[in-house]
Amino acid sequence: MTNISTSGIDGRSLRRERNRQDIVDALLELIENGETEITAALIANKAGLSERSIFRYFDDVSDLHRSVCDQAFSKEIAIALIDDAGTGSLDTKIENFINQRVRIYTMNEKIAPAARSFAFKNPIIKNQIVRGRKLLRIQIIKHFEEELSALDKQQQQAAVAIIDSLTTFETYDMMRSDQKMSVHTIKSILTESIRKALQ
């Protein structure tokens, strides 16, 4: 009897987790497909569940948004390392650094604006974004440590601030969406700008 009961509980838990994941995947897919008017009914239909069931698996809309952002941030961590970090010539370092940033931002072209929108009402998501920006800024300092060490403290701060500003998602998105630049053009602009900042 105990085994049957435990099996039933385990089955319900697995079904609950599967349904939660289906809802998260549905919302993430809608965002990545460029949907702008996303309703609970649309999410439910995409997930193959009833609209009412969404709020059986999530406390509220913020809880759902947080789960979606958690999944997106987890995927980002997998590609967040810079290839051969801190090694090679300056040209190689800049190339590897820019390639990493473009990888991250290309993967997050749709979810990043959504996450920033969610952050207005969700302090947990806001903190995740702030923490992510800090980690990316630390990468700049470590990756270009040799070049930065040749500058005085004020110049170092200025160089890091310039590179950080040039390589935010917002800057990348502005060049891609507003100015309709190709990824190749963006890489060329960033390469020259970062080189100048470090010199």
Side-chain angles (χ1 to χ4, degrees):
M1 289 291 289
T2 302
N3 290 338
I4 294 173
S5 176
T6 302
S7 177
I9 292 170
D10 289 345
R12 286 195 296 274
S13 296
L14 287 172
R15 187 165 57 252
R16 176 181 175 81
E17 286 307 309
R18 186 170 61 248
N19 288 344
R20 272 181 61 93
Q21 188 59 51
D22 286 345
I23 293 167
V24 168
D25 289 342
L27 177 51
L28 195 53
E29 188 175 342
L30 288 167
I31 291 169
E32 289 176 345
N33 287 343
E35 293 284 351
T36 54
E37 299 295 330
I38 300 176
T39 63
L42 191 60
I43 298 168
N45 183 59
K46 189 77 173 175
L49 298 166
S50 69
E51 183 176 346
R52 184 184 301 175
S53 69
I54 290 178
F55 299 104
R56 285 208 301 267
Y57 302 116
F58 296 91
D59 296 336
D60 51 30
V61 172
S62 287
D63 185 27
L64 173 56
H65 289 169
R66 187 165 59 250
S67 296
V68 167
C69 290
D70 283 344
Q71 181 163 309
F73 291 145
S74 294
K75 288 167 69 175
E76 183 177 312
I77 288 170
I79 61 166
L81 294 179
I82 300 172
D83 297 333
D84 299 320
T87 62
S89 66
L90 177 58
D91 285 344
T92 298
K93 288 180 186 177
I94 292 174
E95 181 181 5
N96 289 341
F97 174 75
I98 292 172
N99 285 340
Q100 180 244 20
R101 288 297 198 265
V102 170
R103 275 201 308 269
I104 292 173
Y105 298 151
T106 300
M107 187 186 82
N108 290 316
E109 274 185 315
K110 300 297 184 182
I111 188 63
R116 282 153 177 75
S117 174
F118 299 158
F120 281 112
K121 295 183 178 180
N122 194 314
I124 294 176
I125 296 174
K126 182 178 180 179
N127 287 339
Q128 284 178 316
I129 292 172
V130 170
R131 189 164 61 249
R133 285 173 172 162
K134 183 178 180 180
L135 290 173
L136 292 177
R137 191 159 51 250
I138 290 170
Q139 277 189 331
I140 295 169
I141 296 168
K142 290 184 176 179
H143 187 60
F144 295 111
E145 183 177 11
E146 181 182 351
E147 291 74 22
L148 290 168
S149 67
L151 307 176
D152 64 37
K153 187 172 182 180
Q154 188 173 4
Q155 290 172 328
Q156 288 177 16
Q157 290 176 334
V160 172
I162 290 167
I163 296 169
D164 192 24
S165 299
L166 285 169
T167 57
T168 62
F169 174 80
E170 287 78 7
T171 302
Y172 175 83
D173 186 53
M174 178 187 67
M175 290 191 284
R176 283 289 285 153
S177 301
D178 297 348
Q179 300 180 23
K180 308 300 180 186
M181 292 182 183
S182 68
V183 172
H184 176 74
T185 299
I186 293 171
K187 285 184 174 182
S188 296
I189 292 170
L190 294 179
T191 296
E192 290 307 310
S193 300
I194 292 171
R195 184 180 288 109
K196 288 178 181 177
L198 290 169
Q199 291 174 346

